[in-house]
Amino acid sequence: MSLHDDAVLVLKKHQGQDELRQVYLDHLAAHPDGLWKACGAGHVTASALVVDPSRGRALLTLHKKLRMWLQMGGHCEPGDRTLARAALREATEESGIDGLTLAPGGPVRLDRHHTPCAWHLDVQYAAVAPSGAVEAISDESLDLRWFPYAEVADVADESVVRLLEATLARV
């Protein structure tokens, strides 16, 4: 199965956000290259909010280009076989944490936003950090920091707050 086929199946199964979900499906139907950065009409991306439920905290990255506190995530790559694997790869690369696991049940939400490169149709997952996880900053970040759940709204925008809420409902 191709990444495109996987994305369509994941989106068809996603519960809620029906209008936005249909925007994603229409995009993929109209753009066979709709998962790749080269698609100027926008592209599907994959991200994951890394959480540590035992300590009540979320790991955010201060994005180098956007200068905003965000979840880990980004563009799909040719080696990605599924959206879930793309999200887990991005979370692992950007957090430096090995052993992350995605919460069961597929993506926790969808978020469409404009970036300097194009529209991102982000498919957002929840990733649980293993006990004793130690983060390591990547080249894509200015900073990487754990925030207590209650403090996320103080540093991040509404989309990250909604992602945290959806994540906590899942884990």
Side-chain angles (χ1 to χ4, degrees), residues 129-156:
S131 177
V134 177
E135 70 280 2
I137 196 165
S138 77
D139 292 341
E140 296 182 37
S141 299
L142 293 172
D143 197 2
L144 191 64
R145 192 178 310 162
W146 290 102
F147 291 93
Y149 296 150
E151 294 179 14
V152 169
D154 296 337
V155 298

mmCIF file of all heavy atoms in Angstrom, residues 129-156:
data_model
loop_
_atom_site.group_PDB
_atom_site.id
_atom_site.type_symbol
_atom_site.label_atom_id
_atom_site.label_comp_id
_atom_site.label_asym_id
_atom_site.label_seq_id
_atom_site.Cartn_x
_atom_site.Cartn_y
_atom_site.Cartn_z
ATOM 1 N N ALA A 129 5.962 9.344 25.802
ATOM 2 C CA ALA A 129 7.382 9.166 26.078
ATOM 3 C C ALA A 129 7.572 8.021 27.072
ATOM 4 O O ALA A 129 6.774 7.859 27.996
ATOM 5 C CB ALA A 129 7.973 10.453 26.644
ATOM 6 N N PRO A 130 8.641 7.237 26.899
ATOM 7 C CA PRO A 130 8.916 6.180 27.865
ATOM 8 C C PRO A 130 9.393 6.761 29.192
ATOM 9 O O PRO A 130 9.845 7.911 29.249
ATOM 10 C CB PRO A 130 10.017 5.359 27.184
ATOM 11 C CG PRO A 130 10.717 6.337 26.288
ATOM 12 C CD PRO A 130 9.650 7.298 25.837
ATOM 13 N N SER A 131 9.305 5.984 30.233
ATOM 14 C CA SER A 131 9.762 6.417 31.549
ATOM 15 C C SER A 131 11.240 6.802 31.489
ATOM 16 O O SER A 131 12.047 6.101 30.877
ATOM 17 C CB SER A 131 9.563 5.277 32.550
ATOM 18 O OG SER A 131 10.049 5.634 33.812
ATOM 19 N N GLY A 132 11.589 7.923 32.086
ATOM 20 C CA GLY A 132 12.977 8.372 32.122
ATOM 21 C C GLY A 132 13.481 8.967 30.818
ATOM 22 O O GLY A 132 14.694 9.129 30.637
ATOM 23 N N ALA A 133 12.585 9.314 29.917
ATOM 24 C CA ALA A 133 12.986 9.856 28.611
ATOM 25 C C ALA A 133 13.800 11.130 28.784
ATOM 26 O O ALA A 133 13.484 11.982 29.608
ATOM 27 C CB ALA A 133 11.757 10.146 27.768
ATOM 28 N N VAL A 134 14.848 11.236 27.978
ATOM 29 C CA VAL A 134 15.681 12.437 27.962
ATOM 30 C C VAL A 134 15.661 12.990 26.544
ATOM 31 O O VAL A 134 15.994 12.290 25.589
ATOM 32 C CB VAL A 134 17.133 12.112 28.388
ATOM 33 C CG1 VAL A 134 18.010 13.351 28.298
ATOM 34 C CG2 VAL A 134 17.151 11.530 29.794
ATOM 35 N N GLU A 135 15.253 14.250 26.426
ATOM 36 C CA GLU A 135 15.147 14.887 25.118
ATOM 37 C C GLU A 135 16.509 15.403 24.657
ATOM 38 O O GLU A 135 17.411 15.614 25.466
ATOM 39 C CB GLU A 135 14.128 16.031 25.172
ATOM 40 C CG GLU A 135 14.557 17.230 25.971
ATOM 41 C CD GLU A 135 14.403 17.085 27.485
ATOM 42 O OE1 GLU A 135 13.997 16.031 27.986
ATOM 43 O OE2 GLU A 135 14.724 18.060 28.177
ATOM 44 N N ALA A 136 16.623 15.620 23.347
ATOM 45 C CA ALA A 136 17.836 16.192 22.763
ATOM 46 C C ALA A 136 17.411 17.098 21.613
ATOM 47 O O ALA A 136 16.708 16.665 20.697
ATOM 48 C CB ALA A 136 18.767 15.098 22.262
ATOM 49 N N ILE A 137 17.830 18.336 21.664
ATOM 50 C CA ILE A 137 17.423 19.327 20.678
ATOM 51 C C ILE A 137 17.954 18.967 19.283
ATOM 52 O O ILE A 137 19.064 18.448 19.144
ATOM 53 C CB ILE A 137 17.883 20.732 21.125
ATOM 54 C CG1 ILE A 137 17.160 21.811 20.356
ATOM 55 C CG2 ILE A 137 19.376 20.880 21.011
ATOM 56 C CD1 ILE A 137 17.301 23.185 20.975
ATOM 57 N N SER A 138 17.132 19.229 18.268
ATOM 58 C CA SER A 138 17.532 18.950 16.888
ATOM 59 C C SER A 138 17.902 20.248 16.175
ATOM 60 O O SER A 138 17.693 21.338 16.701
ATOM 61 C CB SER A 138 16.376 18.266 16.139
ATOM 62 O OG SER A 138 15.389 19.214 15.781
ATOM 63 N N ASP A 139 18.382 20.107 14.940
ATOM 64 C CA ASP A 139 18.746 21.275 14.135
ATOM 65 C C ASP A 139 17.539 22.129 13.759
ATOM 66 O O ASP A 139 17.702 23.274 13.360
ATOM 67 C CB ASP A 139 19.452 20.837 12.852
ATOM 68 C CG ASP A 139 20.820 20.228 13.118
ATOM 69 O OD1 ASP A 139 21.372 20.473 14.206
ATOM 70 O OD2 ASP A 139 21.327 19.507 12.240
ATOM 71 N N GLU A 140 16.341 21.568 13.857
ATOM 72 C CA GLU A 140 15.134 22.283 13.464
ATOM 73 C C GLU A 140 14.564 23.141 14.584
ATOM 74 O O GLU A 140 13.584 23.841 14.386
ATOM 75 C CB GLU A 140 14.074 21.288 12.991
ATOM 76 C CG GLU A 140 14.505 20.535 11.751
ATOM 77 C CD GLU A 140 13.450 19.579 11.250
ATOM 78 O OE1 GLU A 140 12.262 19.918 11.334
ATOM 79 O OE2 GLU A 140 13.825 18.505 10.765
ATOM 80 N N SER A 141 15.181 23.078 15.753
ATOM 81 C CA SER A 141 14.640 23.772 16.923
ATOM 82 C C SER A 141 15.597 24.809 17.481
ATOM 83 O O SER A 141 16.812 24.627 17.431
ATOM 84 C CB SER A 141 14.362 22.761 18.044
ATOM 85 O OG SER A 141 13.429 21.814 17.646
ATOM 86 N N LEU A 142 15.005 25.861 18.028
ATOM 87 C CA LEU A 142 15.791 26.808 18.813
ATOM 88 C C LEU A 142 15.871 26.361 20.266
ATOM 89 O O LEU A 142 16.815 26.673 20.972
ATOM 90 C CB LEU A 142 15.154 28.205 18.741
ATOM 91 C CG LEU A 142 15.183 28.884 17.386
ATOM 92 C CD1 LEU A 142 14.357 30.165 17.414
ATOM 93 C CD2 LEU A 142 16.614 29.177 16.969
ATOM 94 N N ASP A 143 14.829 25.626 20.706
ATOM 95 C CA ASP A 143 14.760 25.142 22.081
ATOM 96 C C ASP A 143 13.801 23.960 22.116
ATOM 97 O O ASP A 143 12.994 23.767 21.206
ATOM 98 C CB ASP A 143 14.274 26.261 23.009
ATOM 99 C CG ASP A 143 14.556 25.994 24.487
ATOM 100 O OD1 ASP A 143 15.160 24.956 24.818
ATOM 101 O OD2 ASP A 143 14.148 26.832 25.307
ATOM 102 N N LEU A 144 13.894 23.187 23.152
ATOM 103 C CA LEU A 144 13.044 22.028 23.372
ATOM 104 C C LEU A 144 12.802 21.982 24.868
ATOM 105 O O LEU A 144 13.749 22.009 25.649
ATOM 106 C CB LEU A 144 13.784 20.780 22.905
ATOM 107 C CG LEU A 144 13.060 19.463 22.785
ATOM 108 C CD1 LEU A 144 11.969 19.529 21.732
ATOM 109 C CD2 LEU A 144 14.055 18.360 22.423
ATOM 110 N N ARG A 145 11.506 21.936 25.270
ATOM 111 C CA ARG A 145 11.240 22.048 26.701
ATOM 112 C C ARG A 145 9.953 21.314 27.085
ATOM 113 O O ARG A 145 8.978 21.334 26.354
ATOM 114 C CB ARG A 145 11.117 23.524 27.071
ATOM 115 C CG ARG A 145 11.122 23.790 28.553
ATOM 116 C CD ARG A 145 11.058 25.275 28.871
ATOM 117 N NE ARG A 145 12.034 26.058 28.130
ATOM 118 C CZ ARG A 145 11.944 27.368 27.976
ATOM 119 N NH1 ARG A 145 10.945 28.046 28.488
ATOM 120 N NH2 ARG A 145 12.856 28.022 27.289
ATOM 121 N N TRP A 146 9.976 20.700 28.263
ATOM 122 C CA TRP A 146 8.787 20.093 28.852
ATOM 123 C C TRP A 146 7.985 21.182 29.556
ATOM 124 O O TRP A 146 8.553 21.978 30.294
ATOM 125 C CB TRP A 146 9.165 19.029 29.878
ATOM 126 C CG TRP A 146 9.765 17.788 29.301
ATOM 127 C CD1 TRP A 146 11.083 17.447 29.289
ATOM 128 C CD2 TRP A 146 9.069 16.695 28.692
ATOM 129 N NE1 TRP A 146 11.258 16.222 28.701
ATOM 130 C CE2 TRP A 146 10.035 15.737 28.323
ATOM 131 C CE3 TRP A 146 7.726 16.441 28.420
ATOM 132 C CZ2 TRP A 146 9.688 14.539 27.698
ATOM 133 C CZ3 TRP A 146 7.393 15.249 27.792
ATOM 134 C CH2 TRP A 146 8.361 14.315 27.442
ATOM 135 N N PHE A 147 6.682 21.170 29.327
ATOM 136 C CA PHE A 147 5.780 22.105 29.998
ATOM 137 C C PHE A 147 4.702 21.316 30.729
ATOM 138 O O PHE A 147 4.109 20.394 30.138
ATOM 139 C CB PHE A 147 5.095 23.035 28.986
ATOM 140 C CG PHE A 147 6.019 24.015 28.338
ATOM 141 C CD1 PHE A 147 6.623 23.723 27.128
ATOM 142 C CD2 PHE A 147 6.290 25.236 28.945
ATOM 143 C CE1 PHE A 147 7.485 24.624 26.523
ATOM 144 C CE2 PHE A 147 7.148 26.156 28.353
ATOM 145 C CZ PHE A 147 7.750 25.845 27.134
ATOM 146 N N PRO A 148 4.410 21.671 31.989
ATOM 147 C CA PRO A 148 3.232 21.076 32.633
ATOM 148 C C PRO A 148 2.019 21.354 31.763
ATOM 149 O O PRO A 148 1.927 22.424 31.138
ATOM 150 C CB PRO A 148 3.145 21.801 33.979
ATOM 151 C CG PRO A 148 4.530 22.323 34.226
ATOM 152 C CD PRO A 148 5.095 22.629 32.858
ATOM 153 N N TYR A 149 1.090 20.403 31.721
ATOM 154 C CA TYR A 149 -0.095 20.576 30.864
ATOM 155 C C TYR A 149 -0.745 21.945 31.063
ATOM 156 O O TYR A 149 -1.131 22.603 30.099
ATOM 157 C CB TYR A 149 -1.140 19.497 31.150
ATOM 158 C CG TYR A 149 -0.696 18.076 30.839
ATOM 159 C CD1 TYR A 149 -1.209 17.012 31.580
ATOM 160 C CD2 TYR A 149 0.200 17.777 29.814
ATOM 161 C CE1 TYR A 149 -0.839 15.706 31.304
ATOM 162 C CE2 TYR A 149 0.582 16.473 29.542
ATOM 163 C CZ TYR A 149 0.056 15.440 30.296
ATOM 164 O OH TYR A 149 0.420 14.146 30.022
ATOM 165 N N ALA A 150 -0.857 22.380 32.301
ATOM 166 C CA ALA A 150 -1.552 23.638 32.611
ATOM 167 C C ALA A 150 -0.823 24.866 32.072
ATOM 168 O O ALA A 150 -1.422 25.935 31.972
ATOM 169 C CB ALA A 150 -1.745 23.771 34.119
ATOM 170 N N GLU A 151 0.449 24.736 31.707
ATOM 171 C CA GLU A 151 1.226 25.879 31.213
ATOM 172 C C GLU A 151 1.325 25.948 29.695
ATOM 173 O O GLU A 151 1.836 26.935 29.160
ATOM 174 C CB GLU A 151 2.625 25.865 31.833
ATOM 175 C CG GLU A 151 2.619 26.106 33.334
ATOM 176 C CD GLU A 151 4.011 26.066 33.944
ATOM 177 O OE1 GLU A 151 5.020 26.116 33.192
ATOM 178 O OE2 GLU A 151 4.093 25.972 35.180
ATOM 179 N N VAL A 152 0.842 24.937 29.000
ATOM 180 C CA VAL A 152 0.958 24.921 27.538
ATOM 181 C C VAL A 152 0.251 26.125 26.923
ATOM 182 O O VAL A 152 0.775 26.777 26.011
ATOM 183 C CB VAL A 152 0.444 23.587 26.961
ATOM 184 C CG1 VAL A 152 0.301 23.655 25.438
ATOM 185 C CG2 VAL A 152 1.381 22.450 27.361
ATOM 186 N N ALA A 153 -0.920 26.470 27.429
ATOM 187 C CA ALA A 153 -1.674 27.610 26.879
ATOM 188 C C ALA A 153 -0.937 28.930 27.083
ATOM 189 O O ALA A 153 -1.200 29.896 26.360
ATOM 190 C CB ALA A 153 -3.059 27.681 27.518
ATOM 191 N N ASP A 154 -0.005 28.992 28.022
ATOM 192 C CA ASP A 154 0.757 30.219 28.262
ATOM 193 C C ASP A 154 1.826 30.467 27.198
ATOM 194 O O ASP A 154 2.264 31.603 27.019
ATOM 195 C CB ASP A 154 1.438 30.169 29.641
ATOM 196 C CG ASP A 154 0.452 30.116 30.788
ATOM 197 O OD1 ASP A 154 -0.711 30.541 30.607
ATOM 198 O OD2 ASP A 154 0.847 29.641 31.868
ATOM 199 N N VAL A 155 2.256 29.397 26.508
ATOM 200 C CA VAL A 155 3.359 29.542 25.555
ATOM 201 C C VAL A 155 2.978 29.209 24.114
ATOM 202 O O VAL A 155 3.646 29.647 23.185
ATOM 203 C CB VAL A 155 4.575 28.678 25.963
ATOM 204 C CG1 VAL A 155 5.121 29.123 27.315
ATOM 205 C CG2 VAL A 155 4.246 27.200 25.972
ATOM 206 N N ALA A 156 1.929 28.415 23.930
ATOM 207 C CA ALA A 156 1.594 27.918 22.592
ATOM 208 C C ALA A 156 0.273 28.504 22.110
ATOM 209 O O ALA A 156 -0.527 29.000 22.903
ATOM 210 C CB ALA A 156 1.511 26.397 22.623
#
